């Protein structure tokens, strides 16, 4: 499974790398803080929302600690998607976050 650290993902965002971030946490978890621009697809709904994804795109998968995103990454890879797990999850994220529509700068 492909993996990047939270710091590596943050650097790719700063470098404007073309990729889509998918947060597989539940909506109430995402509401407490998310990476700006991330798409929320809870892990339990991922298989039902595959039609929304493109196999030609690169996806970075995010969760709280890296566990659920690891499962989602493996699932997406098994279906032919280019997916990478953000190891350490939001616990390790030091970049900017969005909380209830408000932008919070990096720690």
């Amino acid at each position: 499974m492909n993996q990047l650290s939270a710091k590596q993902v943050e650097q790719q965002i700063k470098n404007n790398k073309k990729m889509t971030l998918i947060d597989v946490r539940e909506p109430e978890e995402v509401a407490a803080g998310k990476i700006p621009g991330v798409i929320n697809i809870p892990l339990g709904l991922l298989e039902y929302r595959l039609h929304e994804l493109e196999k030609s795109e690169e996806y970075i998968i995010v969760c709280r600690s890296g566990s659920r995103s690891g499962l989602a990454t493996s699932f997406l890879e098994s279906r032919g998607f280019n997916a990478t797990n953000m190891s350490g999850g939001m616990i390790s994220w030091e970049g900017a976050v969005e909380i209830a529509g408000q932008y919070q700068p990096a720690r």
Side-chain angles (χ1 to χ4, degrees):
M1 168 183 3
N2 295 325
Q3 294 201 62
L4 290 173
S5 70
K7 194 52 113 179
Q8 289 172 309
V9 172
E10 182 181 0
Q11 191 59 49
Q12 288 190 358
I13 291 170
K14 286 180 182 175
N15 292 338
N16 295 316
K17 182 165 190 222
K18 183 168 174 25
M19 61 185 172
T20 301
L21 278 75
I22 299 175
D23 194 322
V24 295
R25 296 178 295 161
E26 294 299 315
E28 56 274 5
E29 293 175 281
V30 173
K34 66 178 185 171
I35 299 170
V38 75
I39 297 168
N40 179 222
I41 303 177
L43 180 59
L45 298 179
L46 187 58
E47 70 177 299
Y48 304 107
R49 294 183 59 186
L50 286 178
H51 65 279
E52 298 175 28
L53 307 179
E54 298 290 332
K55 289 190 177 178
S56 61
E57 286 191 40
E58 180 177 348
Y59 296 100
I60 305 294
I61 314 302
V62 179
C63 72
R64 187 184 73 81
S65 67
S67 181
R68 282 178 280 180
S69 57
L71 293 172
T73 299
S74 293
F75 173 77
L76 289 170
E77 286 178 334
S78 75
R79 300 301 191 277
F81 290 92
N82 180 7
T84 300
N85 182 35
M86 187 177 90
S87 61
M90 289 301 291
I91 292 171
S92 299
W93 182 255
E94 295 179 354
V97 294
E98 184 181 326
I99 301 172
Q102 300 290 336
Y103 179 82
Q104 306 288 319
R107 312 184 222 169

